[in-house]
Amino acid sequence: MAANPATESSLDLSWLDLYEDAASAEPGKKGLTLKEINLGRYADSARGAGDMTYRMRGAIPRPGAQRFGPNYQSKADVWSENCLMLYEEATQRQWSSARDIPWDTLEPLPDELERAMCQLATMLTEVEFIAGDVPGQWMPFVSAQDFEAGLFLMTQIMDEARHTDVFRKRALANGGGLLAQGAGLGLRTLIEARDFTEMSVLMHVQAEGFVQSMFRMGELIGQTEADKRIFRMSAQDESRHLAFGVMHLKYVLDTEPERREEIHHYLDKAEGDAAGGGSGDVTFPPVFEALCILLGGGVDKFDEGLQKFLLLRKRQINEYVHRLTVAGLGDRRERLGPLMAQFLDPA
Amino acid sequence: MSTGEALARAAQATQVEIPQEARDRARELGWEDGLIELALAKGHSLQVIWQALRAGVDGQRAKEFLQGGQTAIPRDLSWMEVPTEWGIRARPKDPAMGLTIADLMIGTYGDVPDVWTNRSEIARGSYPNPIVEDMGYTIFEKALVWADCCVPLYEEAIRDRWVSATDLNWNSLEPLPHDLERAVCQFMTEQSERAYFTGALWSGWLPEISYGFLELKLFLSTIIYDLARHSEAFRKRALSNGGGLGLQAPTDYSRVAKEARSFPELAAILFVQDSMLYTLFSHGDEFAQNELERDLYRFVARDRKRMMDYHIERMKHMLFKLPDRRDEQNLYLNKAESRMGKDWADPAVSEPLAILLGGGVANIEEGKRKLRDLRKLQVDSYLADLQKATFIRKHINGRLEQAIQA
């Protein structure tokens, strides 16, 4: 009879046979993604109660594990049904501001256009800086029971770093420099949030939504191929952040409909605090003027630019309300303040 | 404008709700009562009026403007002339790397101050607004966080990115003997949790660091992103070859990192783990059971090398700038080593590695011997890393010492 090696060597091996089911995820068309490993007792649908540790969903609880302080115990607090797909998309679509922007296509611009572009870049590098801090602030509260949401937020932190750096690069790459600090951009509301859903609806849905609508007009705002590409690449990232936020809000409203009025309160505050501009407010005078110059094509075409700026605001507000409607908060349209409501198309 | 048009607009103006913020702002600027309504009646949109109010157009100027029948909004454009450094044309020094953030460190834009005083989110080098809200940053001292290497490491991290879903050959996996598969899975369970936790931990410190140290924050963002990928890649491996997630990781070491009250304490504590894990994954070939795991460990080690480069240089820089804080580091390192020793002594940590190093439970004695060698190497490398940071650790914690001998 063979000796029991475990006994012979005083091995414990209590960890070896804690489970009987075998997980054998197989790669799909896009490789082995989070979707493929979202199976059996490891799936988000099998999520159990949280325990204030960082135990990954599906791992066997350790007797005597210490707590790490409060984190969200309910899935609805942080979850978004698309976060698995968005995480994998984010890893596939990382880009480099150093090498993926055709910096060599930059050409000297008329001074007023270069200054306008640099002012816009100054504002955007500031906005994107906060957009990295905000998810960072919430990461310690995202339970590992909902780790996919946490992983997604970590990709967002990376995306925002890249955006912060690419707009700084743009300001310093074409004979210009940074200009006036933004102020009253409504960014404090993002960092002031005391709840994940509050943060998400203000940052992902409102602020990033407004920025996204602007980036999508990058073909009109950008003066060079490099500028336009910066806006295109950044918009691609913003789409993911926005999609996370919309689907998170939808999940909350579907599963905890009693939170509807609470969420309206957050939006009331954010829309009002930024004096109707919302978070990432483009009505801040230097940004407003810079946009009018860029959209018009010069100071002497400021009024043409102003008309396009008003179109931008119209687009921002209508897309914002549409996204809220998709998430199930269509009644927001009735509560928009006058500075936003003036742009709203009829339902 | 015809009379009819004017009447239509006036009627429309009465229907526009004027926000209280606009009325308050108008009062501050000395606008007469009814001037906003007049502007609306003259066909100016609420948005345009709001822009005039935000731009600080005073009551007299607004009145003259409206009486003059002008349709264009007054503009300020003073932002065009703010006294920042102008005429910057950053160019790539290394065409292969492209336009890096190192290339932006020119003129005043490259000045990273010893103490950053602005409490807002102002971009370093832009012209400050004199009245801004405090954004709540707590770290303003360069010596606590900075390492020059964070500038090139940021771009290297982006260049070296990898994707677990497609850069690892998942189809190459073949069934392993039960004890080996379970050992792999237990190791992956522990490492997945440690990576997730550490990513969350670093993330929570980001909002503490002020804009003066932008490049450092950018680099920390790559660390966080790396840790996200490590966490999911380890999980994927655990769930793809007939195993599963095992016992949750021990909590002693992670708790002490979570308990850090300052950035230097956090960094000192993570120095211990990150050095040990870098050495571990650098020797991943010794316990990998297949090509996929070898590739995975190589990717992880490459990422972790950047983390260690930062740790070493940050500590060196801090000790040079703040020599009175040298002895204090022993307190943090001692705590971290103690908890790491406890974690290492845990059977769910040590046994899977011994089984993998030995090639199975049947060869456990060989595995244990190899693990002792590996643990000793990890500690020696850690002490060497500290030395590179100009820190001589005379005695490591006794609990860690015991864990090496076990």
Side-chain angles (χ1 to χ4, degrees), chain A residues 95-238:
Chain A
W95 51 281
S96 162
S97 70
R99 286 169 287 117
D100 292 332
I101 303 299
W103 296 108
D104 56 344
T105 65
L106 283 175
E107 289 182 3
L109 294 173
D111 186 67
E112 63 198 41
L113 287 174
E114 183 60 28
R115 285 182 189 271
M117 190 63 207
C118 287
Q119 179 58 60
L120 184 61
T122 303
M123 174 262 197
L124 286 169
T125 197
E126 196 173 323
V127 167
E128 303 287 1
F129 181 78
I130 294 294
D133 284 353
V134 172
Q137 178 174 286
W138 289 95
M139 267 307 301
F141 302 100
V142 178
S143 165
Q145 296 303 300
D146 308 306
F147 70 94
E148 294 98 330
L151 295 181
F152 172 76
L153 291 178
M154 292 195 241
T155 69
Q156 185 187 349
I157 289 170
M158 183 65 241
D159 292 344
E160 308 296 7
R162 198 169 48 249
H163 298 176
T164 304
D165 100 50
V166 76
F167 288 111
R168 188 175 180 88
K169 283 177 180 172
R170 173 58 189 88
L172 302 182
N174 202 29
L178 293 170
L179 287 173
Q181 172 185 14
L185 294 174
L187 301 175
R188 258 287 294 254
T189 56
L190 306 180
I191 211 93
E192 287 166 1
R194 297 294 96 188
D195 175 75
F196 186 93
T197 299
E198 177 186 8
M199 174 279 290
S200 179
V201 75
L202 297 188
M203 181 175 72
H204 292 129
V205 182
Q206 187 185 84
E208 302 208 67
F210 286 159
V211 167
Q212 170 73 330
S213 300
M214 178 167 61
F215 286 172
R216 281 193 185 152
M217 287 181 75
E219 298 296 320
L220 297 176
I221 297 168
Q223 305 296 309
T224 67
E225 185 49 39
D227 296 344
K228 290 173 185 178
R229 189 155 174 84
I230 290 170
F231 288 127
R232 279 200 296 270
M233 301 296 275
S234 302
Q236 181 179 288
D237 298 337
E238 298 292 353

Side-chain angles (χ1 to χ4, degrees), chain B residues 310-327:
Chain B
Y310 167 69
H311 276 305
I312 291 168
E313 196 170 316
R314 187 210 65 86
M315 183 177 277
K316 185 178 177 181
H317 178 248
M318 187 184 79
L319 295 175
F320 177 72
K321 290 284 188 179
L322 305 171
D324 56 320
R325 297 195 67 173
R326 181 172 286 271
D327 289 343

